[in-house]
Amino acid sequence: DWLESFVKKLDDGTKLEVKNTDSAKVAFKKIRQYYGIDDSLSDQDARKILIVRNLIKSQGYRTYYPITLASNVSEETVSFVEENAVNLSGISISNEPIRYYPNGALASHVLGYCGKITQSELENVGDGYDKNELIGKTGIQYVFEKYLRGKNGKRQIDMDVNGNITGEYITEEPIVGSDVELTIDANIQAVAEKALKDDIEKISNGGYAEKFEAKAGAVVVMNTKTGEILALASYPDYEPQLFVNGISTDKYNEYRESEALYNRAISGTYAPGSTFKMITAMAGLETNAVTTTEAINCTGVYPAAHKPVCWYYTTYKRGHGALDISEAIQHSCNYFFYEVGNRIGIDTLSSYSKYFGLGRKTGIELPSEASGNIASKDRAREENREWYVGETLSAAIGQSYNNVTPVQMAKYISILVNGGHQIDTTLIKSIINSDGTQVSKDEINAHVKEVLGVEDEKIEEKTFKDENVKAVLEGMKNVTTESGGTAYSIFKDSNIKVGGKTGSAQAGKKTHAWFVGFAPFDDPEIAVVSIIENGGHGAYAAQVAKDIFDSYFYEDEVKSNNENWDNILLSQFFIYFL
């Protein structure tokens, strides 16, 4: 394989005649003769010399532009070269810049990875890059490459007619790249990643009542007041450091097979299932289709369309009985929301879905964010299908065409606990230039739009009635604090009052497990959304959120004394040399 690859790299029209009929031994002998390799040398030593000479031949030899023969060499090699410098004319040791990730895989899907620039990228990035440079390929490193990279300096080299260097001096000083400070909290990110991984393993090992083949998931933690992302994790994850000097084929194939490079938090789309029910509730309350005190009698089988059943009927062969809206959320009664959805109709329901941020990009500063879909007549028309009442009933409990991302769900919960006020989702705290100046928010937003090709979508603010929001949030509190609540088993011993909602969404033969929640209940600070692919039951995904809430509010008591409690600063994750 090496020989075949080597021959292909040789320039056309050379005097070297290697034929397809030649054996490997004959071909190698011809190559040795072509490059003038002494016959006394072993094939192994000859191969090393051939690689060096081919590099010189292909790149061209210039005394002012050295060729890299080896990188990441040992201290022993460095010592040997330095000690034998007088006998190694033209060979020298130099320190080269690297990107270094001291925290391993932490926030890998946020930071992304870098790699050697391709020819097409080289043609698009403009001046200032050469073919041997690294460039951000994904994540924040891709979006903010312009700011992180800085600017190379210039050095003039004077040479005599024989090619000897007679002098060199700096004509333009390099400019250090900007510091991009993220809203990600390194401690909460670490807790989120561990909680997600541990819960997936627990589900797949049968640590709960049932065993499911769970292998992947995502979690998002958002500041409900500002829209800042405090943690964003996708599992499985990867090591960005492995890409710096070129990742091995085996490792890359391993990542591809496990979909480790796939950021499920922003690119994965899933039916929200019962976590959608608060939208149906708010749409019904705000349009007066239902009141906070009206009780709807769940008989188990809804008497319309295809006569869908409540999950409670499937399990116990009877309905929940009469429930008001808070109780319906607590017990996740399908029948109740079938009725509300039927009263308001799909047009109203899809309008509120969009208002809460579903089916449209959040504008997070990362590439490959998915838009998802919301159930609507327009969506049905795209597939040349008629809209039926049965679709409305399915949509009201988070099924039908509804497919959303975890980051959209975090925004939805934040808007809900804010009483309906819109927020902007962001990962960027600030960008500080090398001269100490700060890049304006307007400049950052314009840059993100240009790189990602997204535009702002104007959403007219709605004013939700306080009593309606209170009734819905009360139901979410009961989910975690009252016996019969679908996440009570997870939160029953918690010292933190949490509002939440579980969801189990069908996807073919799999059942994805959702949990959406916020805390503290009386003055929400953070929203947490977790999803476990094929996690079985929403309560199982709730454990991830509980671990995060416990850590966040415990650590909150000692934040002022903890020197490590910082937002992630990209200059802390990898070192840039110019």
Side-chain angles (χ1 to χ4, degrees), residues 12-27:
D12 293 336
T14 64
K15 296 179 180 178
L16 176 63
E17 296 181 358
V18 177
K19 302 176 182 178
N20 292 334
T21 56
D22 288 340
S23 66
K25 186 174 182 179
V26 170

Side-chain angles (χ1 to χ4, degrees), residues 106-112 139-141 143-144 148 178-187 189 227-232 364-366 426-432 441 444 448 565-574:
L106 187 69
S108 58
H109 289 94
V110 175
L111 298 178
I140 291 293
Q141 294 186 85
V143 178
F144 292 95
L148 291 167
S178 304
D179 289 337
V180 178
E181 183 185 12
L182 304 184
T183 61
I184 296 290
D185 185 302
N187 289 350
Q189 179 73 26
E228 293 180 340
I229 301 292
L230 304 180
L232 187 147
I364 193 170
E365 300 93 342
L366 290 174
T426 185
L427 276 166
I428 304 301
K429 194 73 155 180
S430 65
I431 299 180
I432 308 298
K441 273 290 184 183
I444 294 172
V448 172
W565 193 277
D566 292 318
N567 296 98
I568 289 179
L569 188 67
L570 260 67
S571 59
Q572 296 172 351
F573 266 83
F574 34 78

Side-chain angles (χ1 to χ4, degrees), residues 356-372:
F356 277 103
L358 304 188
R360 58 188 177 92
K361 294 182 179 181
T362 64
I364 193 170
E365 300 93 342
L366 290 174
S368 304
E369 181 183 11
S371 298

Side-chain angles (χ1 to χ4, degrees), residues 126-140:
D127 296 334
Y129 286 81
D130 66 47
K131 62 181 180 181
N132 295 313
E133 290 197 62
L134 297 178
I135 192 170
K137 299 287 187 176
T138 63
I140 291 293

Side-chain angles (χ1 to χ4, degrees), residues 350-558:
S350 61
S351 173
Y352 274 82
S353 299
K354 184 176 182 180
Y355 184 80
F356 277 103
L358 304 188
R360 58 188 177 92
K361 294 182 179 181
T362 64
I364 193 170
E365 300 93 342
L366 290 174
S368 304
E369 181 183 11
S371 298
N373 293 299
I374 54 175
S376 66
K377 292 177 181 177
D378 288 340
R379 185 70 182 85
R381 277 194 286 267
E382 290 176 7
E383 296 189 2
N384 296 314
R385 293 182 59 187
E386 295 290 329
W387 188 268
Y388 299 102
V389 172
E391 287 283 4
T392 301
L393 304 184
S394 294
I397 62 167
Q399 297 288 342
S400 183
Y401 292 102
N402 288 315
N403 276 289
V404 300
T405 65
V407 73
Q408 288 175 2
M409 295 294 281
K411 182 173 183 177
Y412 145 43
I413 297 302
S414 295
I415 293 173
L416 176 63
V417 302
N418 281 329
H421 299 296
Q422 291 287 321
I423 57 172
D424 294 324
T425 305
T426 185
L427 276 166
I428 304 301
K429 194 73 155 180
S430 65
I431 299 180
I432 308 298
N433 296 320
S434 59
D435 60 3
T437 59
Q438 185 166 325
V439 179
S440 70
K441 273 290 184 183
D442 288 342
E443 180 182 333
I444 294 172
N445 291 337
H447 173 75
V448 172
K449 290 176 185 176
E450 179 183 359
V451 173
L452 300 182
V454 297
E455 294 294 335
D456 289 332
E457 188 173 359
K458 300 299 182 183
I459 300 293
E460 185 177 348
E461 283 271 344
K462 295 181 184 291
T463 302
F464 292 162
K465 294 177 182 177
D466 290 341
E467 60 267 31
N468 292 341
V469 176
K470 183 178 179 181
V472 171
L473 298 188
E474 187 70 19
M476 295 180 72
K477 182 187 72 173
N478 294 342
V479 166
T480 65
T481 61
E482 297 293 328
S483 177
T486 54
Y488 175 71
S489 62
I490 302 296
F491 289 95
K492 62 182 179 181
D493 297 324
S494 176
N495 294 323
I496 305 157
K497 193 178 290 186
V498 173
K501 185 73 187 74
T502 60
S504 301
Q506 296 296 321
K509 295 182 179 180
K510 296 182 178 181
T511 301
H512 300 323
W514 280 101
F515 179 82
V516 300
F518 64 92
F521 180 79
D522 296 325
D523 184 18
E525 291 182 29
I526 61 171
V528 178
V529 169
S530 57
I531 183 168
I532 310 295
E533 292 183 6
N534 200 31
H537 299 289
Y540 298 171
Q543 184 63 55
V544 178
K546 183 180 185 300
D547 291 348
I548 294 170
F549 286 133
D550 287 347
S551 176
Y552 180 89
F553 290 105
Y554 169 76
E555 291 287 350
D556 191 50
E557 297 174 3
V558 294

